[in-house]
Amino acid sequence: EARLARRCDLCADRMCRSRLADVDVAVARRACECTVLRRARVCTALRSDGTGARIGKAPLVLASLSMERVRDSGSVDWPPMRDALRAVLSPHFDLELRTSAELEPRLLSGAHVLVCNMTSARVALSEAEREALRDWVQHGGVAILNAFSNWSSNDACNHDVVGWMHVHAERGAPFGSRRRWPVALHARRFVSTLLDGGALLDGPFGTVSYLENVGATQYALAVRFHGEGGLARALCGHGHIGSAEAGDLAVLAHGPVGGGLVLLCSNMHWMVGESGWL
């Protein structure tokens, strides 16, 4: 059966053509193979003005709190993380790494992805900052949130970051050994359905088949999350998403997360090479 190939209006590369015919712009964007995260609306290809003329790289804004606030690994300005992100993303995107001393609407406005890790911060998120995070995600924001709880420089142990989703980060949880987990087939199917093609695991950067991490801690996802219509799937890690335990890396959607999307992890060693932590 012959099908017309319609591109997402954000990109121009052949790999990014939608496999759907006669679809509206919103559907084309969601179905486009260039989509890294459905609600981020970003792509790795050069954009087009409709005639095929290239007009520059697609923008990608990654936001976090500043090193002044969260110290080392909690900020996209932390040199090892900054360099790793630039090396991978700058060839494909017009990349902006945006930081602020406070988690506020001005930081989040226009951001595609927020990275939040408060482990080394001396001061936990304030109520106003927690509300800003919750409101931004529920209105479509995409966030990578850390539930690491073996130790913390403040008294929250990242509960301030993930507690609003009914995720319980247990203070003093054991520091996990180095592990390499395969991405489960059921998780791949879940993400493929949730993200209209599964670009999180099978996107333009290749297929993600495993996660390697060290220092992961257990966290619990309360029954209330599912009771409010939340969808969750452990991609890989310690166990299953449920009332008692959860995987090291998981995707959360709907319910308390609202219209956004959360990639939940415990410890962020997987984001930066080994040398960055020495």
Side-chain angles (χ1 to χ4, degrees), residues 220-234:
L221 189 63
V223 173
R224 283 182 298 168
F225 179 86
H226 299 285
E228 294 182 12
L231 293 176
R233 179 69 68 187

Side-chain angles (χ1 to χ4, degrees), residues 163-230:
W164 61 275
M165 301 181 295
H166 309 319
V167 175
H168 175 62
E170 182 180 353
R171 291 175 176 83
F175 189 92
S177 61
R178 179 175 300 282
R179 294 285 300 277
R180 178 169 170 154
W181 293 282
V183 174
L185 178 60
H186 62 78
R188 193 175 297 282
R189 289 171 178 166
F190 172 82
V191 172
S192 180
T193 301
L194 182 65
L195 299 181
D196 297 323
L200 178 65
L201 298 175
D202 297 285
F205 292 105
T207 298
V208 178
S209 57
Y210 70 90
L211 168 76
E212 185 170 328
N213 205 3
V214 61
T217 57
Q218 287 284 71
Y219 54 85
L221 189 63
V223 173
R224 283 182 298 168
F225 179 86
H226 299 285
E228 294 182 12

Side-chain angles (χ1 to χ4, degrees), residues 8-82:
C8 163
D9 64 325
L10 297 177
C11 70
D13 194 276
R14 193 180 313 166
M15 66 171 280
C16 297
R17 292 175 182 170
S18 167
R19 293 173 181 164
L20 302 181
D22 301 322
V23 294
D24 61 28
V25 170
V27 174
R29 285 184 178 184
R30 292 199 300 271
C32 183
E33 294 175 5
C34 74
T35 303
V36 177
L37 290 169
R38 177 167 64 121
R39 299 190 183 278
R41 302 291 194 263
V42 296
C43 65
T44 61
L46 295 176
R47 292 177 295 167
S48 169
D49 61 2
T51 65
R54 293 180 174 181
I55 59 173
K57 298 176 183 177
L60 177 60
V61 180
L62 300 185
S64 78
L65 289 167
S66 64
M67 287 187 64
E68 172 190 3
R69 172 69 182 279
V70 296
R71 304 164 66 193
D72 53 61
S73 60
S75 176
V76 296
D77 266 355
W78 178 48
M81 184 173 290
R82 177 200 62 203

